[in-house]
Amino acid sequence: MDQITLTGVTAVGHHGVLDFERRNGQPFVVDAVLHLDFSRAAASDDVFDTAHYGEVAECVRGWITGEPLNLIEALAVRIAEDVLSKFPVAAVDITVHKPKAPIAVEFGDVSVSVRRTRQEQP
């Protein structure tokens, strides 16, 4: 399976369990790996025969800046399911990073990753 990798889609969101996270917001960073067959797009050389990564980035940003969720796990799943529903991909891997998470020890990043495939869709 061929892949499109989109890394570092960044926006401010208001996700989190704590009141100040929802009130103040913080940066979230999302990486997406889209699994699809490039054969048709390669033959046609037409963006309509692939997953338009600019539109995928807009979709991801919409979820980051959208309705607040408590958990980044929930955010990752919603993004993955939405990408599957809107784009011609067989599977998608989504990683949500929360680099400014309110953790009491020094850390570099916290992230969650999910993979969803077309067969898993209801």
Side-chain angles (χ1 to χ4, degrees):
M1 190 67 36
D2 305 310
Q3 297 178 357
I4 296 172
T5 302
L6 178 62
T7 57
V9 177
T10 305
V12 173
H14 294 266
H15 310 288
V17 175
L18 304 175
D19 288 341
F20 71 87
E21 292 181 285
R22 287 177 171 253
R23 182 178 58 249
N24 301 336
Q26 61 189 293
F28 291 84
V29 182
V30 174
D31 304 326
V33 180
L34 313 174
H35 302 270
L36 64 156
D37 185 344
F38 290 168
S39 298
R40 193 167 156 190
S44 70
D45 196 27
D46 190 331
V47 71
F48 293 107
D49 289 329
T50 189
H52 189 303
Y53 49 80
E55 292 177 1
V56 173
E58 292 288 338
C59 175
V60 169
R61 183 177 64 181
W63 280 102
I64 295 171
T65 61
E67 188 69 28
L69 298 165
N70 288 330
L71 302 177
I72 58 175
E73 294 87 342
L75 180 60
V77 168
R78 283 169 176 76
I79 293 169
E81 290 175 351
D82 200 30
V83 168
L84 274 179
S85 74
K86 292 179 178 172
F87 300 96
V89 298
V92 62
D93 301 320
I94 297 292
T95 300
V96 175
H97 302 265
K98 190 174 179 180
K100 302 287 186 186
I103 298 174
V105 299
E106 190 173 327
F107 73 102
D109 188 24
V110 63
S111 66
V112 299
S113 297
V114 299
R115 172 178 273 217
R116 292 294 182 266
T117 62
R118 191 149 306 281
Q119 295 80 8
E120 293 175 357
Q121 291 299 292

